[in-house]
Amino acid sequence: MNNSLISSVEQKRRRRAILVMSILIVGILIAFLISMNTGVIRLTPLDVLKTLFGFGTAQQHLVLYDFRLPRIIISILIGMGLAISGAVLQALSRNALADPGIIGINSGAGMVILLYVAFYTTPAAAPVYLLPILAWLGGGIAAFLVFVISYRRHRGLSPNRLILNGVAISSGFSAVTILVSLRINPEQYQFVATWIAGSIWSKDWNYVYALLPFIIILMPYVFFKAQTINVLNLGAPMATGLGAAVARQQIWLLAAAVGLASSCVAVSGSIGFVGLIAPHLARRLVGNRYQVVLPATALAGGFLVLVADTLGRWVLQPVEIPTGIVVAVIGAPYFLYLMFRTKG
């Protein structure tokens, strides 16, 4: 009787997870179609279909393939990468507030990107393909400092110290970024201001190609480690008792989380809340098993950023609102609601 009851509960959870992820996929497809029709130059759904099949005008082909499609794809990839990074960080630290922005990864990556861009007369002259690698270096330095300071032997990571140290390290990198920005020319400063706001504006296929390797390598690796994350989420003593090599697994998963977040930050700038909200939303909808939490988190993150970018292009046309600002407007109320429910 107990076995049949457990099997029935498991089937219900599985059906719920499939339903939730199916809804998210449909939501992404709908947002994808709406986003292709959103912008200063209007393209009707028929125009989009004709252009996709090679029957559109030269202008329609330029707008769709050179401007909108790269931007849409980048939005989805960034949302997935930031969301998965946040899910891993929350599991490793056992802290629901852990996020790439909060623990300093965004600030560290941004500082290195600014130093890199400052070497060139214009931001456009800086090779795009080095941006994710350098951002990974900066984000890795920040994460290394935060985790080393927060780590206690035989006790693992201290969740409270992780957040406090992350805020301190992030503030330090942000201060250095501001100091460097005072020494650059107006064009470079405009790049920095846009980066801080979190914008996907003016991104082309080169940015897609620069970001894609990190996503297609690191994200499957994290999915493959889902069961390990389940064990680590129990805490260092319990995980060690179950036979997990805690320190080694934490280092590899942390490196993957930093790589995902830093590569996304290098392309989009500092977009917050995605790595914080998407894992929370996924766990509320599909449960706590990371085999289903991770795919749901990726889909929720991709949907959130794509919707935010589409709204940013539509609300105040022809003026665009940076995607990071729209994500904050969407994410902050939900986060406050989540905190209210947690306290209650």
Side-chain angles (χ1 to χ4, degrees):
M1 180 66 69
N2 290 335
N3 290 336
S4 62
L5 180 60
I6 293 174
S7 177
S8 176
V9 172
E10 184 64 27
Q11 288 178 0
K12 288 182 179 179
R13 289 178 178 175
R14 189 175 304 169
R15 286 196 296 267
R16 180 182 175 86
I18 293 173
L19 176 62
V20 168
M21 286 187 276
S22 299
I23 292 173
L24 288 172
I25 291 173
V26 172
I28 290 174
L29 291 175
I30 293 173
F32 187 97
L33 294 174
I34 294 174
S35 186
M36 286 197 294
N37 290 277
T38 302
V40 177
I41 299 176
R42 296 288 299 171
L43 293 179
T44 66
L46 181 59
D47 291 334
V48 171
L49 289 175
K50 287 168 59 178
T51 306
L52 288 175
F53 286 101
F55 298 104
T57 65
Q59 183 189 48
Q60 291 170 343
H61 187 279
L62 177 67
V63 170
L64 189 63
Y65 282 98
D66 291 0
F67 295 107
R68 292 187 186 171
L69 273 179
R71 183 167 182 165
I72 292 170
I73 293 173
I74 287 175
S75 297
I76 296 173
L77 293 178
I78 287 172
M80 289 182 170
L82 291 175
I84 292 298
S85 177
V88 173
L89 293 174
Q90 289 174 16
L92 292 181
S93 64
R94 301 180 67 199
N95 191 322
L97 296 178
D99 170 79
I102 293 176
I103 68 171
I105 295 176
N106 289 4
S107 298
M111 187 195 72
V112 173
I113 292 297
L114 174 59
L115 293 173
Y116 173 63
V117 171
F119 277 107
Y120 295 86
T121 55
T122 62
V128 171
Y129 296 102
L130 288 179
L131 290 177
I133 299 174
L134 294 174
W136 195 351
L137 174 64
I141 292 173
F144 175 79
L145 292 174
V146 172
F147 275 75
V148 166
I149 296 174
S150 306
Y151 188 82
R152 290 292 179 269
R153 191 174 181 181
H154 304 306
R155 294 173 56 189
L157 292 170
S158 170
N160 293 330
R161 291 178 64 88
L162 179 76
I163 298 300
L164 294 175
N165 293 330
V167 171
I169 294 296
S170 179
S171 299
F173 279 116
S174 296
V176 174
T177 301
I178 293 174
L179 288 175
V180 175
S181 68
L182 298 176
R183 307 281 299 182
I184 58 181
N185 61 49
E187 187 175 354
Q188 292 170 327
Y189 184 82
Q190 181 61 40
F191 171 84
V192 174
T194 303
W195 185 93
I196 292 175
S199 177
I200 309 178
W201 177 78
S202 77
K203 299 301 185 286
D204 56 27
W205 288 106
N206 288 328
Y207 289 91
V208 177
Y209 302 145
L211 176 61
L212 197 58
F214 290 84
I215 299 296
I216 63 177
I217 293 174
L218 296 179
M219 192 177 294
Y221 171 77
V222 173
F223 287 174
F224 177 73
K225 289 292 184 177
Q227 181 58 37
T228 301
I229 297 174
N230 286 330
V231 175
L232 295 177
N233 197 37
L234 298 174
M238 181 69 73
T240 302
L242 293 174
V246 175
R248 185 177 63 189
Q249 296 295 343
Q250 284 180 333
I251 290 173
W252 282 108
L253 285 167
L254 175 61
V258 172
L260 286 169
S262 299
S263 58
C264 292
V265 165
V267 172
S268 68
S270 184
I271 297 179
F273 281 109
V274 179
L276 190 65
I277 299 300
H280 278 281
L281 184 61
R283 284 193 294 267
R284 287 174 66 89
L285 293 175
V286 301
N288 294 316
R289 292 178 64 250
Y290 275 83
Q291 285 88 341
V292 291
V293 168
L294 291 175
T297 296
L299 292 172
F303 177 72
L304 175 60
V305 176
L306 179 56
V307 169
D309 182 60
T310 304
L311 288 174
R313 286 189 284 139
W314 172 71
V315 173
L316 296 178
Q317 288 187 16
V319 179
E320 291 192 8
I321 304 174
T323 306
I325 295 177
V326 181
V327 171
V329 171
I330 296 174
Y334 176 78
F335 180 65
L336 292 175
Y337 164 77
L338 185 65
M339 293 296 293
F340 176 78
R341 288 291 300 268
T342 302
K343 289 181 180 179

